[in-house]
Amino acid sequence: HVQLVESGGGSVQAGGSLKLSCTYSGYTSFIDCMGWFRQAPGKGPEGVAAIDSDGASIYLDSMKGRFIISRDNAKTILYLEMNSLKPEDTAMYYCAVETGRIRPDGWLLESTYRNWGQGTQVTVS
């Protein structure tokens, strides 16, 4: 089992930036894929970005060029740098991890992940 704790959310004006962190602990030796998801009020969860243990990453199309996902395996922290934020980016953001090798076509699917954090709220006005 892996424990995940997100931080770094907050309120920001449109055009601003935030950097989310997700500290993971526990059974971390075999973590491969790590992702960020978000859920806005009244909407379903949405995969934002994901990164594997080799550093390969993918993004939801609307995030490309604005968001950057990275991971520090030594510090066991996953990051999501969010730039040029828009009001439609307002949501609860969650990190998720999975062990074992995951095919890239599953990296942004909620059903891929069994380990989730509690979320951090991002509000853009």
Side-chain angles (χ1 to χ4, degrees):
H1 185 64
V2 180
Q3 294 79 44
L4 304 165
V5 179
E6 302 95 336
S7 62
S11 297
V12 64
Q13 291 188 336
S17 299
L18 283 174
K19 187 172 184 177
L20 306 183
S21 299
C22 172
T23 301
Y24 53 97
S25 61
Y27 189 67
T28 63
S29 299
F30 299 99
I31 289 176
D32 178 37
C33 192
M34 307 185 71
W36 285 98
F37 289 74
R38 69 183 185 183
Q39 186 164 16
K43 296 185 178 181
E46 178 178 55
V48 172
I51 187 169
D52 75 353
S53 56
D54 295 326
S57 58
I58 59 172
Y59 297 87
L60 190 65
D61 284 348
S62 59
M63 310 305 163
K64 291 179 181 177
R66 297 195 301 126
F67 289 11
I68 301 171
I69 189 171
S70 61
R71 60 194 284 178
D72 186 327
N73 292 330
K75 294 182 179 179
T76 63
I77 302 176
L78 175 71
Y79 299 102
L80 184 68
E81 182 179 345
M82 306 186 295
N83 302 303
S84 302
L85 284 163
K86 307 174 182 180
E88 50 264 42
D89 294 318
T90 294
M92 184 71 79
Y93 283 72
Y94 301 88
C95 62
V97 306
E98 187 52 58
T99 57
R101 206 66 179 173
I102 305 297
R103 290 169 44 140
D105 59 2
W107 290 2
L108 292 182
L109 297 178
E110 183 189 11
S111 59
T112 293
Y113 300 88
R114 293 173 292 175
N115 303 282
W116 292 83
Q118 294 301 305
T120 186
Q121 177 67 39
V122 171
T123 302
V124 185
S125 60

